[in-house]
Amino acid sequence: MQHETFWTLLKDPAHWQFEVFLIFLFDVLIGLLLWPTIRKFILHHKSDDERIAELEKRVDELTK
């Protein structure tokens, strides 16, 4: 059995193809699957911030 070291993996094209495949799999595919949920979460919190800002304006107007 051949021992793998950092240098042997660095020079091995098959290892780099596998690394690119894993990057594609985890970063692209999983990212595309999770993006709608993440986007919904971001938009929800953005609308909450806008509502809080509007309520703070109303409170400031009423206290003046």
Side-chain angles (χ1 to χ4, degrees):
M1 181 175 179
Q2 180 184 3
H3 293 285
E4 292 179 341
T5 65
F6 174 76
W7 297 112
T8 59
L9 291 175
L10 188 64
K11 295 176 185 176
D12 186 12
H15 174 76
W16 285 106
Q17 290 173 351
F18 183 65
E19 288 288 336
V20 170
F21 169 74
L22 289 178
I23 289 170
F24 177 77
L25 180 69
F26 288 104
D27 293 349
V28 176
L29 290 180
I30 293 176
L32 287 174
L33 290 173
L34 292 178
W35 178 245
T37 305
I38 294 168
R39 185 169 181 255
K40 189 184 300 184
F41 179 76
I42 291 170
L43 291 176
H44 172 73
H45 286 283
K46 187 176 181 180
S47 67
D48 282 351
D49 291 343
E50 291 169 356
R51 285 190 223 148
I52 289 172
E54 184 180 328
L55 287 173
E56 287 175 350
K57 283 181 188 178
R58 288 184 186 174
V59 169
D60 286 342
E61 290 173 359
L62 290 174
T63 57
K64 289 183 181 180

